Amino acid sequence: MSNISLKGRDFLKLLDFTPEEILYLLDLAADFKDKKKKGIPVDTLRGKNVALIFEKTSTRTRCSFEVAAHDLGMGCTYLDPSGSQIGKKESIADTARVLAGMFEGIEYRGYGQEIVEELAKYAKVPVWNGLTNEFHPTQMLADLLTIREHFGYLKGIKLAYMGDARYNMGNSWMVACAKMGMHFSACTSANYFPNEKLAEECRRIAAENGGSITLTEDAMAGTRDADVIYTDVWVSMGEPDEVWEERIRELSPYQVNKAIMENAGEKAIFMHCLPAFHDLKTTIGARIHERFGITEMEVTDEVFESPQSLVFEEAENRMHTIKAVMAATIQ
C-alpha cells in the first residue's frame, strides 16, 4: 500500500487507474472507516479547503463529500446549480483557474464528461468526478468496498447489471469489473446495452485481469449464479417525462424481483446506487403509479427490504471512499 502515491492526481474515471491503484484507494477507505468507527480522528488536512460544484443535485454525493471533508479537517464550499457561473457567464477554463487559486480540490457533479475533463485540464489542483452522464467513479469505489466487505474478495465476482446500461452506471460497472477481474453481465434489451466502443475496450482490459464482459437480453441467463444483482432508476435526472412509458414497457422484463434473486442463488446480494423506486413513498413514484398503475419499478419492495439488500451499507461507504480519494490526491 505504501509505495503508491496519487498526490496531485485527478479522479475522473476508473479507466485512468490501475487495479493496484484502485485497491490502494479501497484499502485506504477501509482504514478510514475503521478509524471512524473507533472514534480516531483523521483531520490531517486542516487549513485546506475544497469546492463542490453541483450542476445536478444529490443527497449521497453532497453529504459524502461534506462529511468526509469535515472529518479530514477541511473547509467545504457547496455551489448548487444556481450558485456558480460555470459555463454560463464564465467559461469552464476560467472557473477552474479561479477556484484552483482558492481551493486545494474541486468536485464536479453534472453533465458531460468533457466538462469535468476540461476542469481538470485547467485547474492546478485535483478535480474529482461526483457524477457525469458517462461515468460515476466515486460510486464504483463505494460499491467495490461493499462487495469486498461482504465476500472478502473482488476477483472472480460475477455482477449482473439490470436495466438501462447505456450511461454512467452501466459504463462504470463495465470498467470496474474489467479492472478488478470480475465478470460483468449487462442484462437488458439490446437498445440499452452500453456503448460498443467502450465495451470493446473493457473486453481487452478484462482479458488482462481475468474478468469478462457479457451483454445479454436473457435476464435469467445473465443473472444465473450471480454474486451481485445491481440496478438503477430507469429514467435519469433531467430526462423528460415522456420517456417513462417507453422505459417501463421495455425495461419491465429486467426488474429485480424475487424470481431474479432466486435465480442468482442464496449467496447473491442486491445493490442499488439510490434513490430507488421500490414503493409509492416518493412524489415521482406516486405520479408513475397514477399514470401507469405500477407500484414498483426497477426493484420490488420485497427485494429492496430483504436481508440480501446492502443498499444502505453501500450508501454509507460513499463517504468512506470519497474521504480516501480526497486524502490520497490532495497535495
Side-chain angles (χ1 to χ4, degrees), residues 162 219-220 223 229 253 255-265:
M162 306 193 71
M220 285 298 169
T223 57
I229 302 292
Q255 180 192 63
V256 180
N257 50 38
K258 189 166 179 246
I260 290 291
M261 294 307 292
E262 285 176 349
N263 185 54

Side-chain angles (χ1 to χ4, degrees), residues 19-303:
E20 293 73 27
E21 288 169 338
I22 295 166
L23 284 171
Y24 166 77
L25 287 169
L26 295 178
D27 290 342
L28 187 58
D31 184 53
F32 278 135
K33 184 172 183 176
D34 183 55
K35 286 186 166 77
K36 178 97 171 167
K37 302 293 181 199
K38 291 172 178 168
I40 300 168
V42 295
D43 53 344
T44 54
L45 295 177
R46 279 193 303 274
K48 298 190 185 294
N49 293 279
V50 295
L52 311 179
I53 303 171
F54 277 70
E55 291 197 293
K56 284 185 178 178
T57 55
S58 161
T59 302
R60 275 152 301 281
T61 304
R62 178 181 176 177
C63 293
S64 296
F65 270 100
E66 289 192 345
V67 173
H70 182 268
D71 282 359
L72 290 167
M74 295 194 290
C76 192
T77 299
Y78 174 74
L79 299 168
D80 69 15
S82 64
S84 92
Q85 298 297 345
I86 185 168
K88 297 187 279 285
K89 286 186 184 173
E90 188 160 41
S91 72
I92 293 158
D94 290 359
T95 302
R97 288 176 288 189
V98 167
L99 294 177
M102 303 178 192
F103 296 95
E104 277 76 28
I106 302 166
E107 179 271 354
Y108 173 83
R109 178 185 174 92
Y111 298 95
Q113 180 72 14
E114 70 278 1
I115 300 172
V116 77
E117 299 274 354
E118 191 174 354
L119 270 173
K121 180 181 172 184
Y122 288 98
K124 62 179 188 288
V125 298
V127 171
W128 312 299
N129 179 359
L131 171 140
T132 60
N133 295 339
E134 292 84 0
F135 294 108
H136 198 356
T138 58
Q139 182 69 52
M140 288 304 99
L141 289 182
D143 294 345
L144 290 169
L145 181 63
T146 307
I147 292 167
R148 193 174 75 168
E149 284 173 343
H150 183 80
F151 291 103
Y153 59 93
L154 290 172
K155 201 171 180 66
I157 288 284
K158 180 179 178 184
L159 182 137
Y161 184 89
M162 306 193 71
D164 190 344
R166 296 172 299 173
Y167 302 118
N168 45 36
M169 287 307 298
N171 288 346
S172 295
W173 261 123
M174 196 161 58
V175 172
C177 288
K179 289 279 183 180
M180 305 320 290
M182 296 162 64
H183 302 291
F184 173 83
S185 172
C187 307
T188 186
S189 156
N191 301 335
Y192 296 89
F193 282 168
N195 174 282
E196 186 49 43
K197 189 173 167 215
L198 182 63
E200 274 307 308
E201 186 177 359
C202 288
R203 285 189 187 103
R204 283 199 307 277
I205 297 167
E208 291 166 17
N209 297 311
S212 64
I213 306 294
T214 305
L215 310 180
T216 178
E217 291 190 278
D218 188 331
M220 285 298 169
T223 57
R224 190 166 297 123
D225 300 325
D227 299 297
V228 184
I229 302 292
Y230 203 107
T231 192
D232 189 12
V233 291
W234 289 342
V235 176
S236 298
M237 273 186 294
E239 289 192 276
D241 278 0
E242 301 82 76
V243 302
W244 279 107
E245 186 175 3
E246 178 190 358
R247 298 282 167 83
I248 289 167
R249 184 178 68 249
E250 295 184 354
L251 293 175
S252 287
Y254 304 98
Q255 180 192 63
V256 180
N257 50 38
K258 189 166 179 246
I260 290 291
M261 294 307 292
E262 285 176 349
N263 185 54
E266 283 178 16
K267 71 180 185 314
I269 57 173
F270 169 72
M271 296 176 72
H272 190 307
C273 52
L274 302 181
F277 294 120
H278 60 98
D279 57 25
L280 301 179
K281 295 174 187 170
T282 62
T283 312
I284 294 174
R287 203 163 72 223
I288 296 302
H289 174 62
E290 282 168 26
R291 281 178 62 190
F292 304 107
I294 58 172
T295 56
E296 312 157 303
M297 273 181 273
E298 72 276 7
V299 57
T300 61
D301 195 54
E302 180 181 26
V303 170

